[in-house]
Amino acid sequence: MPLQTDVDITPAGQRPDEDPSLAVRNNGGTPPSADPAPSGRREALLVLGFGGPEGPDDVMPFLENVTRGRGIPRERLLDVAEHYMHFGGVSPINAQNRALTAAVEREFADAGVDLPVYWGNRNWSPYVEHVWQQMADDGIEHVYVFPTSGFASWSGCRQYHEDVARARSVFTGAAPGGGPTAEKLPHYGDHPGFVQANAEALAAALASLPEDLRDTARLVATAHSIPDTMAAVAGPDGGAYQAELLRSARLVVDAVVPGRDVDLVWQSRSGPPSVPWLEPDVNDHLRALAAAGEKAVVLFPIGFVSDHVEVVWDLDNEARETAEELGMAFVRAGTAGTHPAFVAMVRELVEERRSGTPPRLGTNCPAACCFVRRPTGLRRGQEPSPA
């Protein structure tokens, strides 16, 4: 069942966009350090995901949990529920995060990194609040948080800081003061491991096209659309969501076919049509490409780390159908998943923080970074996450 938590994570008398920042508060009141981790501190890694239903009976409670406070009509939730029912009511995302967690555990063991690995979710079991209590009970003193979203924005970065703050505020029975301190790992869209995983997937997708289409197929990167207002405040100076995604897409393409054009488009938008979101939508872009005479397209979902429902349904079903209607050859590249380079990247990000380096964006985010003022009463998951 949905976890009912409506805690105020901002101290009395402080605005959410004022210092001390979430990063500082989650780290026990001090900024994430540039010094090596203290010797003997009991540490862990938490893989923090979005969550998803594990069976048909979970689907509607999960969607109600995600959208609570947004006033989404039940009819709309029933429509979305049908997407999950095509997969037996089971979201692929939980199995994928279990697989990633297991792969990271093996990577740590092989590299001699003595850290336990936990997995928790924002919107479904295992809830991050419960996992935080478990880590406290296990004697963990400090947690490195790996989010399953590698880019700036409220839903892609700041909300993960909020998840940690909420977890530290809710379950303190065995851990007075909020339990372990924590620091979120930095943005990783330009990390060589993420780039390699996506580049190899793009190369395989291109190779699957008929030979006479490979050199001319349009390369299209996709990411979760977000409201224009959210995009405008992403990162310390705004606009970082699009900028980071464009850089990541460029690095991936240049690793496969240097200098070739790449488009960045958006998918999976929700919310009322009256609210502007990032455009163009992937299906609209496919129509524009066909009208311009393009014969083939390769989509690579650079904004996602696994093949969950928004990738498999929105791209493999809806976008593929659009391309077929337009007479375009279509192929979709895989996501990073448990690619060895991506798994090694997680270890490298942890080792970067433990070894003593200046914290990068995503770890020591300024107080106002990605802050979106929301109406009173909205709760967890009130905007979709590109996770």
Side-chain angles (χ1 to χ4, degrees), residues 21 29 50 62 65 73 77 110 123 137 149 161 163 166 214 219 251 258 266 279 318 327 354 366 373 387:
S21 67
F50 190 76
F62 164 74
N65 202 28
L77 296 186
D110 291 346
N123 290 301
D137 292 344
S149 173
H161 287 289
D163 292 337
R166 189 182 65 253
R214 294 173 192 169
L219 307 183
L251 289 169
W266 312 100
E279 295 179 336
E318 294 181 345
R354 297 182 86 195
R373 191 171 301 280

Side-chain angles (χ1 to χ4, degrees), residues 60-115:
M60 283 303 292
F62 164 74
L63 292 174
E64 289 165 352
N65 202 28
V66 171
T67 61
R68 188 177 298 115
R70 292 177 61 192
I72 304 296
R74 183 172 178 81
E75 293 74 17
R76 172 57 181 154
L77 296 186
L78 290 170
D79 288 342
V80 176
E82 282 301 310
H83 299 174
Y84 288 96
M85 293 308 179
H86 281 275
F87 305 96
V90 178
S91 170
I93 198 170
N94 287 335
Q96 290 160 359
N97 281 334
R98 289 188 187 98
L100 176 61
T101 299
V104 171
E105 287 177 328
R106 292 190 295 271
E107 175 73 19
F108 278 9
D110 291 346
V113 178
D114 187 18
L115 257 70

Side-chain angles (χ1 to χ4, degrees), residues 123-154:
N123 290 301
W124 203 250
S125 180
Y127 288 105
V128 61
E129 293 91 338
H130 295 159
V131 177
W132 212 264
Q133 184 70 66
Q134 184 62 59
M135 291 190 293
D137 292 344
D138 291 346
I140 300 301
E141 298 173 90
H142 188 75
V143 180
Y144 300 97
V145 179
F146 176 76
T148 51
S149 173
F151 301 93
S153 75
W154 176 74

Side-chain angles (χ1 to χ4, degrees), residues 1 8 36 46 61 77 91 93 136 150 154 183 187 195 208 212 227 238 243 282 311 337 344:
M1 292 297 294
D8 188 351
L46 171 66
L77 296 186
S91 170
I93 198 170
W154 176 74
E183 57 186 282
H187 302 168
V195 172
S208 71
D212 62 333
V282 60
V311 173

